[in-house]
Amino acid sequence: MIGFGPRRHGPPRWAGGVAATILPVVSFGVILQAGFWETGGEQELATGILAEMMFLIVAPTTWIFSIEFIEVSRLTAITIGALTSLPLWFVLGVSIADRSSTWQGWLQRYAMTYGIWLAFSFVLFVVIGTLAG
């Protein structure tokens, strides 16, 4: 195929998208192993709450299930949250790959973006917790 546009160098777009989904997928596994399903003593309760907060960070579309009139089970929220959030992470990885000339540049931009998202999420948790009392 002949192309007259500028040649693009750097990570392939699809590889950047797949790489961006690795952290959320690993996080889903860790979260589900960390007592997300149990309600027990104080330690299990704290672990469950932390796991839920981390799930909301890696699956941001799960916030829609906090709307009062939506009644869903925990399994439904996890499944739909994961299935709708992974494409967002993939698109983020593709977008970062378009702007990066090396994998190191991709990783730096991804880490910065994830760090900003993490900080924003914790600020949002604090604001919501303060407003809720």
Side-chain angles (χ1 to χ4, degrees):
M1 184 166 132
I2 298 174
F4 296 100
R7 290 189 179 244
R8 188 187 150 335
H9 298 285
R13 297 179 77 205
W14 67 270
V18 170
T21 61
I22 291 173
L23 182 62
V25 167
V26 169
S27 297
F28 290 147
V30 170
I31 289 166
L32 293 176
Q33 293 292 325
F36 191 75
W37 299 105
E38 290 120 17
T39 54
E42 281 184 31
Q43 184 178 0
E44 290 84 15
L45 183 63
T47 304
I49 291 171
L50 182 61
E52 290 173 6
M53 289 174 53
M54 291 306 295
F55 186 79
L56 289 174
I57 291 171
V58 296
T61 57
T62 308
W63 283 97
I64 194 132
F65 297 116
S66 66
I67 299 173
E68 216 171 285
F69 62 86
I70 297 178
E71 299 273 339
V72 296
S73 69
R74 191 173 264 197
L75 179 63
T76 304
I78 290 170
T79 305
I80 294 175
L83 290 176
T84 56
S85 295
L86 285 176
L88 294 177
W89 288 106
F90 183 85
V91 168
L92 173 69
V94 167
S95 175
I96 293 172
D98 281 342
R99 292 168 178 77
S100 302
S101 58
T102 63
W103 276 109
Q104 181 181 4
W106 183 92
L107 187 59
Q108 288 173 343
R109 285 188 171 121
Y110 181 74
M112 183 180 65
T113 305
Y114 190 79
I116 290 169
W117 174 247
L118 191 65
F120 172 75
S121 296
F122 280 124
V123 167
L124 188 63
F125 290 147
V126 169
V127 168
I128 291 172
T130 303
L131 294 175

